[in-house]
Structures are given as structure tokens and as C-alpha cells.
Amino acid sequence: MSTSCLQTIRSNYARLSDKEKIIAKYIINHPQTIIHSTINEVAEKLNVADATVFRFCKRVGFKGYQAMKIALASEIMTPAQQILEDISEDDNERLVAEKIFKSNIKTLEYTLQVLDETSLTKAVQLLLHASRIHFYGTGGSAVIAMDAYHKFIRTGIQSFAFIDSHFQLMSASQLTGDDTAVIISHSGTNKDTLNILDTANENGARTIAITSYPKSYLSTHADVTLLTSSEETEYRSEALASRIGQLSLIDALYANVMMRNKKDSEAALQKIRSTISETRME
């Protein structure tokens, strides 16, 4: 499934120059105008050079303005609504909840659009052949890493995760070439997270990145990258919205590993269920 034009622009927004961000905002807010405008008209409207518009198109992955316009036209002529409603202060509780649910659904749709099948297959293989799997993330991503640990401990493969960033760095220093590190970061630029990545790479461990930014340091220096995507609204940051995509990617990896490691997974799962059952009152 190909990535949508508007979502490609959104995903690249943080890395654009100031003038390119002006172009990006205009395209996102006025897609219908763009498909009926020439490059000269857009440049004049935004008070930038034609070459700046052309470079912007190249920067976000298109051969030129015409190629971007064709992709945009194909996208906005479909019935699917691509622009999410922002939450308003006038919305009641039910409407706020409805918009959040719709935003989560759209985040999953966007993430599925950017999910690369080859990368997913490689990630599953790295996990299956790992002696140990370590999950890393700081801040909100640490919660995602703990959720991943909670799932993967059922696979029969030794799995670990720590909330504290110092513990994470210490564990990364003990990784070997037989291990796989899954590193989660929305921006892919957090210094603590990148220190963990570099440490894992230096020790020969295989690395899987889960991030929203394909050109971030994390993405370009990991062995495999799985992308998530989301939209930011006034009351909900893009980083917060992206977590539903991160959780779903973890679920997809977990389900694939469980299926392909069935014997060990079933044994591990049975032990866990047996032990946990003792904590429940009859």
C-alpha cells in the first residue's frame, strides 16, 4: 500500500526548512487549490522561488511538482476524509471521545499505509533468531517498551525492559551479536535513546527502530525501521497520538513471533498462566 501524499508531507515536516514548512502547510490546508495551480502560481502565492517549491517536492520524495500534484489529486479525489477534526472547547464529553477514537483509527490507517512488508519480515526474523530481546524507550516510549516486554515474555525468548534510562544504557552495554534491541522513539532524536542505539550497535546487536521519522538518526542507524504515523491536534500532540500505532506494531511483531515459535511460545505461556493462576482467589 503506498503512502499518501499528504501523510508523506506531514511525516517530513519536522525536517523541512522554514520556507519549505510554509509550502507544506499550504499544501496540507489547500490541497484542492494545489491540484489546479502551476508551480509558478504557488511560488508567487507564497512569495518563494519556483526552485524552492521544486526542491520541496524532491525533499518529500517526489520527482518534481507535477509528480506531487498527480499523487495529491489521486488522493483527495477519493471519498476518504484525510483531515481530522480538531477538538473544540465547545465539544461535549461524548464528542471529544468520538474525535479521539476517530483520530486513533486514522493513526492506525496512516501507520498501515507506511508499513513496509520487507522491513516487517526482517524485524520478525531478527526477533525469532535472538537469544535475548531488549526493549528500549524513554518517557512515553518507555511505557510502550514495557508493554512489549509484557507481551514478549510469553514467546519463550528471553525478553527485558527497564523504565530507568541508566538501567537501559547499562543493559545495552551487555548486549552481544546474538541479541536484538528494539528501540522506540517517536522523534528518533532523543539523546538517551540514541546513546542506547549506538551502544547496541557497537556491541554487535541487531537493532529494530520504531519511530515516526524515516530520516531521523534512529531510523537511519538501525538495522530495520518500522514507521508509525499520526496527526497532531491542538489538544493532543503527535507523539501522544503515535503511541496507538507503536502499540499496534508491537502487537503485530508479537503475533508473528508467537506463530512462528509455536512450541516454545506455548510452553512459556503455559508456565505463565499456571504461575499467575496461583495469585487469584478461587
Side-chain angles (χ1 to χ4, degrees), residues 171-183:
S171 75
S173 72
Q174 301 302 305
L175 294 173
T176 72
D178 295 325
D179 302 324
T180 294
V182 181
I183 305 171

Side-chain angles (χ1 to χ4, degrees), residues 42-250:
V42 172
E44 184 176 349
K45 172 73 176 179
L46 301 178
N47 196 29
V48 298
D50 292 7
T52 304
V53 179
F54 181 79
R55 282 196 300 272
F56 164 82
C57 296
K58 297 277 286 185
R59 184 79 177 270
V60 297
F62 296 98
K63 291 183 179 180
Y65 178 76
Q66 191 64 23
M68 184 206 69
K69 199 163 77 164
I70 292 171
L72 183 61
S74 174
E75 178 179 345
I76 67 174
M77 294 305 288
T78 64
Q81 175 70 327
Q82 298 295 328
I83 301 173
L84 298 179
E85 287 184 278
D86 273 350
I87 295 172
S88 167
E89 293 179 1
D90 298 326
D91 294 342
N92 61 30
E93 291 81 0
R94 166 69 189 192
L95 188 53
V96 170
E98 183 178 327
K99 288 182 177 181
I100 290 295
F101 274 69
K102 288 181 177 179
S103 175
N104 285 342
I105 291 168
K106 190 58 68 174
T107 293
L108 293 176
E109 290 177 349
Y110 285 157
T111 299
L112 187 58
Q113 286 179 351
V114 299
L115 181 60
D116 180 74
E117 184 176 351
T118 300
S119 296
L120 179 61
T121 300
K122 288 181 180 178
V124 170
Q125 291 303 311
L126 290 182
L127 295 170
L128 280 170
H129 294 98
S131 294
R132 298 178 298 174
I133 304 171
H134 284 246
F135 297 94
Y136 299 102
T138 60
S141 295
V143 179
I144 308 299
M146 291 303 297
D147 177 79
Y149 164 71
H150 179 254
K151 291 182 172 72
F152 273 79
I153 197 172
R154 295 163 167 79
T155 63
I157 304 170
Q158 290 190 63
S159 302
F160 305 89
F162 303 95
I163 290 290
D164 186 89
S165 60
H166 285 181
F167 284 2
Q168 291 183 29
L169 192 57
M170 290 165 63
S171 75
S173 72
Q174 301 302 305
L175 294 173
T176 72
D178 295 325
D179 302 324
T180 294
V182 181
I183 305 171
I184 306 159
S185 171
H186 168 67
S187 67
T189 59
N190 179 276
K191 288 184 179 180
D192 288 337
T193 301
L194 299 185
N195 283 339
I196 291 166
L197 170 69
D198 288 340
T199 302
N201 284 335
E202 287 168 6
N203 287 324
R206 306 310 298 272
T207 51
I208 300 170
I210 297 179
T211 181
S212 296
Y213 292 87
K215 294 183 181 179
S216 65
Y217 185 93
L218 176 62
S219 180
T220 56
H221 287 74
D223 292 309
V224 179
T225 296
L226 299 175
L227 295 173
T228 59
S229 190
S230 60
E231 280 194 342
E232 183 171 354
T233 66
E234 184 176 358
Y235 294 102
R236 195 176 189 221
S237 72
E238 187 183 6
L240 181 62
S242 71
R243 290 178 199 169
I244 192 71
Q246 293 171 348
L247 287 168
S248 297
L249 279 179
I250 294 295

Side-chain angles (χ1 to χ4, degrees), residues 22-35:
I22 292 173
I23 299 169
K25 285 182 179 178
Y26 186 74
I27 294 172
I28 291 170
N29 293 327
H30 306 281
Q32 289 281 359
T33 302
I34 290 294
I35 64 173

